[in-house]
Amino acid sequence: MSSDLLLAFVVVLPLLLVSLVAHELAHGWAALHLGDDTARSRRRLSWNPVRQLDPWGTAVLVVTFLGSGGTFFFGWARPVPIAPWRFKDPQRGMMLVGAAGPAANVIIALLAAAGVWATYEAAPFVADVLALAFALNVVLATLNLAPIPPLDGSRIVGGFLPRAAWVKWMDLDRYGNAVFLVFVVLLVAAP
């Protein structure tokens, strides 16, 4: 392993951790404000990355990053627990909770872009790190908006469906991991 790859990993990992934790916290806070305190009662409304990380998702992240020489990485955090039946309107609640995660990544991307603009002459390394944070959060927001269960985009699409169709749409979540795995394989295999 080269020292450049190790340095890249040391820079990317904290940026990714903050981005993933902010994403999951946004889901939890949105759910709490809509009437579901499940994430709070399970101590998941925390900036502590240990509470948010999925062991497999973290391992896949490390393996894909180091295995690709830093050109590609993929991983995931542990989803925040949500109890949609606690919302006044479960369909609308899940749509808003689903939108909160990508919205957090968009906000981080905008803040990072402003930071790049403010630091690019005085502190080029800081500007480069902020540019990376911008790119990571744009990618996280974009991928999570895909309307594929269990991604957030499926929650948003579900919010616009008629009630009976929404129930069937949400039922697809039990196949979500398989569907998501096919999506990732297609994404990696694409030229």
Side-chain angles (χ1 to χ4, degrees):
M1 179 182 340
S2 75
S3 60
D4 288 343
L5 180 60
L6 189 57
L7 176 63
F9 186 71
V10 167
V11 170
V12 168
L13 187 61
L15 296 175
L16 195 57
L17 286 176
V18 167
S19 302
L20 290 172
V21 169
H23 180 100
E24 293 304 325
L25 277 176
H27 288 313
W29 281 109
L32 181 63
H33 289 289
L34 291 168
D36 174 22
D37 70 343
T38 305
R40 182 175 64 183
S41 69
R42 294 189 186 170
R43 303 180 64 212
R44 292 291 304 283
L45 294 182
S46 167
W47 280 99
N48 180 352
V50 173
R51 292 191 179 153
Q52 308 296 349
L53 295 181
D54 178 89
W56 284 108
T58 304
V60 168
L61 170 73
V62 172
V63 168
T64 56
F65 186 88
L66 297 177
S68 71
T71 59
F72 171 80
F73 56 90
F74 179 78
W76 58 90
R78 193 165 43 127
V80 169
I82 306 291
W85 59 87
R86 293 185 173 178
F87 300 143
K88 191 180 297 184
D89 177 353
Q91 184 175 1
R92 181 176 178 274
M94 287 304 291
M95 179 179 73
L96 294 173
V97 168
N105 293 122
V106 168
I107 290 168
I108 293 171
L110 292 173
L111 291 172
V116 169
W117 181 81
T119 61
Y120 73 95
E121 285 183 2
F125 178 76
V126 172
D128 287 346
V129 170
L130 290 170
L132 183 56
F134 170 82
L136 284 172
N137 280 280
V138 167
V139 169
L140 280 171
T142 304
L143 284 176
N144 274 287
L145 287 172
I148 301 169
L151 297 177
D152 300 326
S154 71
R155 310 282 188 248
I156 296 167
V157 168
F160 294 102
L161 296 174
R163 187 63 157 200
W166 174 73
V167 171
K168 291 179 182 175
W169 180 253
M170 292 302 291
D171 198 37
L172 292 175
D173 266 6
R174 58 186 156 147
Y175 307 110
N177 289 337
V179 171
F180 187 64
L181 181 61
V182 169
F183 174 70
V184 170
V185 168
L186 291 174
L187 187 66
V188 171

